[in-house]
């Protein structure tokens, strides 16, 4: 046997064995891709958990994909069309009806469903449920309450937040200050330019008035109810009485230029950055004002969902359960730890109990979740489109170009027609 | 290779190199690009405009339903259409005469290159950066514009927060952005006009105004036609500035929602790709009609010059 033949044989055997090993490895290792709107820095605690999971499960490789919140739905669509869908998504609950109807989402196995129902609060499970079907594991909760600037209220002679909307109106009027050009420099109350700045506030006030924005079957609205009309007329009065304007927005709260606003708890980090050590002495939280009766407000949720075309569905659900269950005697689950570091709330009962939520800002939000006062944003058909439509009509009432009853009748007609499209 | 195959190969090479075939071979990459990225999407979008499609499930044929909804039911479409026309006509009515005037003035001045460079700068600035800067300049409370007005005891308009004037503010910013490009085009047009026309007119005793209106403007007609058509097409389909200035909302009160922006929201936020495609075709039809009208209107001196 010549030397060159020997070398050739050795090379061939080496190449074949390498190829075989690679093929075997490729067969044994399953890659699970997780897409979220959180960036790498925010995801750091979870990424650490991914590596730990991979160590304990040698057959699993976890890849993280980030898509900006505004582009998240488009990213899902594009990846589906291109056949490169992630296995796991962290989705905003109102996107779920269309995604579920299109067969994009996989339903959790029965044992995972039982675990979710036991480990999560009823309100948050509702956020991941459409027409009685549970589609995923709730993650981040955002709850609305009245946020107020204690110092501005005190300077106007008030030492407690308003309990009713009439009180709010009077207090806001006293806080409002205009500059020499007649522009409101410090507003008593503020809204904002985004859809949620108007619509989520409106929904929160409807829940506080004891009325759900939508009918129970999700096919109609309660926008023409006397409560909804009254809420909108009172909002419009803030504009017509010069207490607020389009110039004055929710960002002014962190700038110390706004007295009150109905906002979500995730704004906490902005307030902490803006006010530093004075944060708790400056910012207060109270229930959404109503006309008496039980408190109420709105919450919305994100949830983990698994793609129906994923080749690793069982492994994905197993991974998600692991990520959402405390490991190695730690008080928080991996997801809970990440949310805690973000200053967000979790829908997981044990995570919520173990989270750092004892400060005066967070306690009212947690109470609203635990007491059941915070109701899930309804997962209605074409929710984003409907909310944009509703914002359009609410703005017309604020500007005085439409009366509240006319605007709500028009919104009801348009949105009911869209809701009727639901398969 | 057998000897019998040689003549066949030679004739194939000859055929490929012939005047009838060779140009098509060289054009093939460009044509393939145009077919894949322009023609096929156009045809597919036309088909999609007759369907209900959310991009997740197969398209469902609905005939003319999307067109009927847009033209007869949708209360927002016509508002956005009005905004689009206001934006396109407004930016031209303001921007084109200004560009002609500046180009004419700079053609008579020293340091032409410097002036052109200064006015060209906004064109090479990212639209988001432009929006960001103007957002602060036009801020109601703390913006440079209203603070300056305040020094003269004047009021403070809500440039971007008052629905009655928000679109006008967008037009002003857009004109500022586009001015350099239009001015350069008119400068090129002006340099093409033979100096002898001016000399003859002045010898005949024509005033500067007469020279401008009777000689410069008519001879600039081909450039004017080009600027008008390209500006109209750009104006009718433009929405980047509105998107950046209004946080993507097209507000306040949809006052800066143009059809392009609405189409984007309908397609990618509402997942109504069929309806958005129908809107795109309605808008394309309007652009076609307006362009044809312009070509007809400027036939003399404009179209004939090409």
């Amino acid at each position: 046997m010549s030397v060159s033949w020997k070398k050739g044989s050795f090379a061939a055997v080496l190449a074949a064995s390498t190829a075989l090993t690679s093929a075997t490895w490729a067969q044994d290792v399953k890659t699970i891709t997780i897409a979220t709107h959180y960036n790498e820095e925010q995801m750091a605690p979870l990424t650490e958990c991914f590596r730990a999971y991979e160590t304990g499960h040698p057959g699993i490789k976890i890849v993280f994909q980030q898509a900006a919140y505004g582009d998240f739905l488009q990213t899902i669509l594009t990846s589906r069309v291109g056949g490169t869908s992630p296995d796991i998504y962290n989705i905003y609950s109102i996107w779920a009806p269309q995604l579920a109807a299109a067969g994009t989402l996989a339903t959790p196995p029965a044992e995972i469903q039982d675990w979710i129902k036991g480990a999560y609060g009823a309100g948050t499970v509702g956020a991941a449920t459409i027409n009685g079907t549970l589609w995923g594991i709730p993650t981040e909760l955002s709850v609305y309450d009245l946020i107020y600037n204690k110092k501005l209220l005190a300077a106007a002679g008030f030492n407690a937040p308003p309990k009713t909307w009439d009180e709010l109106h009077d207090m806001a009027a006293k806080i409002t200050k205009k500059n020499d050009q007649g522009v409101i420099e410090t507003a008593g109350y503020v809204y904002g330019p985004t859809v949620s700045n108007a619509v989520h506030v409106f929904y929160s006030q409807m829940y506080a008035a004891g009325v759900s924005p939508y009918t129970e079957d999700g096919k109609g609205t309660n926008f023409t109810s006397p409560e909804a009309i009254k809420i909108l007329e009172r909002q419009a009065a803030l504009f017509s009485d010069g207490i607020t304007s389009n110039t004055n927005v929710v960002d002014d709260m962190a700038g110390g230029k706004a007295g009150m606003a109905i906002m979500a708890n995730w704004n906490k980090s902005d307030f902490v950055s803006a006010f530093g050590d004075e944060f708790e002495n400056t910012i207060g939280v109270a229930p959404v004002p109503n006309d008496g009766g039980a408190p109420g407000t709105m919450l919305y949720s994100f949830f983990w969902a698994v793609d129906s075309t994923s080749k690793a569905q069982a492994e994905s659900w197993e991974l998600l359960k692991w990520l959402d269950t405390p490991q190695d005697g730690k008080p928080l689950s991996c997801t809970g730890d990440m949310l805690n570091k973000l200053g967000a709330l979790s829908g997981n009962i044990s995570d919520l109990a173990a989270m750092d939520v004892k400060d005066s800002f967070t306690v009212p939000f947690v109470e609203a979740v635990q007491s059941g006062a915070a109701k899930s944003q309804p997962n209605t058909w074409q929710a984003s489109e409907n909310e944009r439509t509703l914002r359009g009509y609410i703005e017309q009432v604020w500007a005085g170009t439409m009366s509240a009853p006319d605007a709500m009748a028009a919104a009801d007609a348009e949105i009911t027609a869209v809701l009727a499209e639901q398969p | 290779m057998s000897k019998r195959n040689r003549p066949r190969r030679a004739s194939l090479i000859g055929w490929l190199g012939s005047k009838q075939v060779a140009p098509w071979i060289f054009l093939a990459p460009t044509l393939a690009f145009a077919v894949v990225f322009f023609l096929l999407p156009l045809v597919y979008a036309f088909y999609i405009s007759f369907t209900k499609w959310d991009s997740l499930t197969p398209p469902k044929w609905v005939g003319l339903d999307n067109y009927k909804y847009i033209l007869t039911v949708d209360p927002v479409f016509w508002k956005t259409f009005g905004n689009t026309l206001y934006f396109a006509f407004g930016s031209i009515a303001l921007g084109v005469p200004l560009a002609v005037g500046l180009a004419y003035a700079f053609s008579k001045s020293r340091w032409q290159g410097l002036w052109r460079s200064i006015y060209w700068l906004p064109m090479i600035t990212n639209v988001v950066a432009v929006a960001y800067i103007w957002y602060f300049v036009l801020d109601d409370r703390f913006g440079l514009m209203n603070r300056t007005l305040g020094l003269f005891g004047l009021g403070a308009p809500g440039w971007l927060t008052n629905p009655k004037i928000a679109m006008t503010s967008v037009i002003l910013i857009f004109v500022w952005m586009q001015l350099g490009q239009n001015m350069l085009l008119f400068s090129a047009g002006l340099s093409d006009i033979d100096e002898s026309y001016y000399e003859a007119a002045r010898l005949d005793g024509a005033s500067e105004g007469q020279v401008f209106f009777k000689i410069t403007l008519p001879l600039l007609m081909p450039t004017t036609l080009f600027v008008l058509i390209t500006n109209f097409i750009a104006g009718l389909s433009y929405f980047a500035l509105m998107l950046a200035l209004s946080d993507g909302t097209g507000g306040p009160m949809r006052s800066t929602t143009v059809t392009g922006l609405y189409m984007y929201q309908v397609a990618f936020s509402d997942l109504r790709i069929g309806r958005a495609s129908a809107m795109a075709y309605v808008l394309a039809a309007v652009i076609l009609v307006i362009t044809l009208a312009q070509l007809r209107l400027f036939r003399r001196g404009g179209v004939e010059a090409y």
Side-chain angles (χ1 to χ4, degrees):
Chain A
M1 197 183 284
S2 70
V3 174
S4 64
W5 190 90
K6 272 186 188 168
K7 275 185 181 169
S9 306
F10 179 72
V13 169
L14 191 68
S17 61
T18 309
L20 276 172
T21 315
S22 310
T24 314
W25 188 79
Q27 260 184 351
D28 288 351
V29 173
K30 270 195 174 171
T31 300
I32 297 176
T33 309
I34 300 186
T36 78
H37 66 283
Y38 302 114
N39 61 35
E40 294 241 9
E41 195 187 333
Q42 294 169 322
M43 279 289 285
L46 265 187
T47 315
E48 209 175 292
C49 290
F50 294 164
R51 301 293 84 87
Y53 191 82
E54 284 170 344
T55 309
H57 300 76
I60 298 290
K61 184 178 183 320
I62 303 164
V63 176
F64 163 58
Q65 267 183 12
Q66 194 225 334
Y69 171 76
D71 303 325
F72 200 81
L73 199 54
Q74 289 93 309
T75 306
I76 295 178
L77 302 179
T78 318
S79 64
R80 294 273 302 181
V81 172
T84 56
S85 313
D87 300 278
I88 296 171
Y89 308 108
N90 184 233
I91 59 170
Y92 181 15
S93 61
I94 64 166
W95 299 334
Q98 278 95 302
L99 293 173
T104 309
L105 307 181
T107 46
E111 49 146 335
I112 297 281
Q113 294 204 24
D114 291 342
W115 167 72
I116 296 169
K117 285 169 190 165
Y120 291 80
T124 54
V125 173
T129 305
I130 302 148
N131 294 334
T133 306
L134 180 59
W135 290 97
I137 303 169
T139 55
E140 182 180 349
L141 291 186
S142 293
V143 188
Y144 282 86
D145 260 334
L146 180 77
I147 293 178
Y148 61 96
N149 186 312
K150 292 175 184 173
K151 290 179 178 172
L152 288 178
L153 258 67
F158 304 103
N159 55 14
K163 287 191 172 65
T164 66
W165 198 263
D166 289 338
E167 279 177 29
L168 181 143
H169 185 103
D170 294 344
M171 289 166 78
K174 288 192 174 119
I175 293 166
T176 302
K177 285 191 177 68
K178 293 184 177 175
N179 67 14
D180 52 1
Q181 287 177 292
V183 180
I184 300 174
E185 202 155 272
T186 302
Y189 187 89
V190 284
Y191 293 95
T194 69
V195 168
S196 57
N197 291 155
V199 174
H200 287 185
V201 171
F202 180 67
Y203 287 172
S204 298
Q205 284 189 255
M206 283 193 74
Y207 281 123
V211 182
S212 170
Y214 293 89
T215 56
E216 205 150 310
D217 61 2
K219 300 273 184 185
T221 83
N222 291 318
F223 299 158
T224 53
S225 64
E227 291 87 352
I229 304 290
K230 197 170 175 184
I231 288 165
L232 205 46
E233 282 172 341
R234 285 169 161 177
Q235 290 186 357
L238 295 175
F239 284 84
S240 59
D241 294 348
I243 293 167
T244 193
S245 75
N246 289 338
T247 304
N248 312 97
V249 293
V250 283
D251 288 350
D252 293 353
M253 284 297 300
K257 292 283 182 186
M260 293 175 275
I262 292 172
M263 295 171 79
N265 58 294
W266 56 259
N267 290 283
K268 180 184 172 183
S269 55
D270 286 347
F271 296 136
V272 172
S273 307
F275 300 113
D277 293 342
E278 280 297 292
F279 161 59
E280 289 200 62
N281 291 330
T282 310
I283 294 295
V285 180
V288 174
N290 57 13
D291 286 335
T297 188
M298 187 197 96
L299 69 82
Y300 66 88
S301 168
F302 281 78
F303 67 87
W304 292 123
V306 174
D307 191 283
S308 61
T309 59
S310 165
K311 291 189 174 70
Q313 282 187 33
E315 291 85 352
S316 296
W317 288 116
E318 195 185 328
L319 166 65
L320 288 174
K321 188 179 174 189
W322 187 87
L323 289 173
D324 288 73
T325 309
Q327 303 294 327
D328 307 325
K330 289 179 185 166
L332 287 165
S333 71
C334 289
T335 307
D337 184 36
M338 184 199 70
L339 294 175
N340 192 38
K341 284 175 177 149
L342 286 176
L345 296 180
S346 169
N348 185 302
I349 295 167
S350 72
D351 275 344
L352 196 56
M355 281 175 125
D356 181 17
V357 290
K358 311 293 183 290
D359 61 285
S360 64
F361 181 89
T362 315
V363 165
F365 291 106
V366 176
E367 277 175 3
V369 176
Q370 290 174 334
S371 68
K375 305 284 189 301
S376 274
Q377 179 183 17
N379 288 336
T380 50
W381 186 252
Q382 293 285 126
S384 298
E385 179 183 359
N386 293 335
E387 290 184 1
R388 202 177 64 244
T389 301
L390 182 57
R391 159 101 201 186
Y393 285 108
I394 288 174
E395 272 190 291
Q396 300 224 44
V397 180
W398 288 353
T401 54
M402 255 182 131
S403 71
D406 287 351
M408 288 300 97
D412 174 67
E414 252 184 79
I415 292 170
T416 303
V418 173
L419 295 174
E421 294 174 10
Q422 182 163 11
Chain B
M1 188 189 290
S2 68
K3 284 181 182 174
R4 208 189 312 164
N5 283 340
R6 277 185 195 156
R8 195 179 291 171
R9 170 168 277 196
S11 70
L12 179 68
I13 291 169
W15 180 73
L16 289 174
S18 68
K19 280 186 179 174
Q20 287 76 30
V21 179
W24 291 106
I25 293 174
F26 286 108
L27 281 172
T30 310
L31 289 175
F33 185 87
V35 168
V36 173
F37 292 105
F38 297 116
L39 195 62
L40 282 181
L42 269 178
V43 173
Y44 192 63
F46 189 62
Y47 158 69
I48 288 297
S49 73
F50 297 101
T51 68
K52 186 177 179 185
W53 189 43
D54 60 7
S55 86
L56 293 166
T57 47
K60 193 177 141 199
W61 185 263
V62 293
L64 289 169
D65 281 5
N66 286 328
Y67 290 93
K68 267 190 219 159
Y69 180 84
I70 291 164
L71 299 172
T72 61
V73 180
D74 190 348
V76 181
F77 178 76
W78 287 112
K79 180 173 174 57
T80 68
F81 190 69
N83 289 343
T84 307
L85 289 181
Y86 179 59
F87 174 75
F89 279 98
S91 56
I92 283 181
L94 219 68
V96 173
L98 199 59
V100 174
L102 283 172
Y104 189 69
F106 293 149
S107 70
K108 311 279 175 205
S109 74
R110 291 166 72 187
W111 307 309
Q112 285 184 36
L114 177 71
W115 292 119
R116 284 175 192 165
S117 303
I118 289 172
Y119 278 85
W120 178 260
L121 278 177
M123 276 302 295
I124 54 168
T125 309
N126 183 286
V127 66
V128 178
V130 168
Y132 204 62
I133 291 164
W134 280 100
Y135 195 82
F136 284 110
V137 172
L138 298 179
D139 182 87
D140 297 359
R141 286 172 289 180
F142 313 112
L144 183 67
M145 184 70 85
N146 281 357
R147 287 288 178 187
T148 310
L149 292 174
L151 291 176
F152 297 98
L154 297 168
W159 297 102
L160 296 170
T161 55
N162 181 346
K164 288 178 185 154
I165 60 168
M167 184 54 105
T168 308
S169 305
V170 175
I171 291 171
L172 291 171
I173 299 170
F174 186 73
V175 166
W176 174 82
M177 274 174 68
Q178 287 285 109
L179 196 57
Q181 176 174 296
N182 289 342
M183 203 187 71
L184 271 191
L185 290 168
F186 282 118
S187 295
L190 285 171
S191 63
D192 274 353
I193 299 173
D194 200 316
E195 199 58 32
S196 61
Y197 294 121
Y198 295 120
E199 285 167 12
R202 286 189 187 111
L203 280 174
D204 288 341
S207 66
E208 277 307 306
Q210 283 173 317
V211 167
F212 180 75
F213 286 106
K214 302 277 184 185
I215 294 174
T216 307
L217 276 189
L219 289 174
L220 260 185
M221 201 56 94
T223 311
T224 309
L225 178 71
F226 178 79
V227 169
L228 282 179
I229 288 177
T230 52
N231 275 233
F232 251 117
I233 293 172
L236 288 171
S237 53
Y238 190 80
F239 71 93
L241 187 61
M242 296 77 165
L243 189 79
L245 276 170
S246 70
D247 262 345
T249 62
M253 279 176 71
R254 291 191 175 126
S255 58
T256 60
T257 307
V258 285
T259 305
L261 178 56
Y262 185 49
M263 213 188 305
Y264 176 81
Q265 290 171 339
V266 169
F268 299 112
S269 173
D270 306 347
L271 305 187
R272 295 186 185 275
I273 317 278
R275 191 178 287 171
S277 300
M279 283 179 197
Y281 268 90
V282 170
L283 192 63
V286 172
I287 292 173
L288 181 70
V289 169
I290 292 178
T291 307
L292 289 175
Q294 283 178 308
L295 288 171
R296 179 88 192 155
L297 216 66
F298 293 95
R299 182 178 290 274
R300 285 194 62 194
V303 181
E304 285 162 3
Y306 281 99

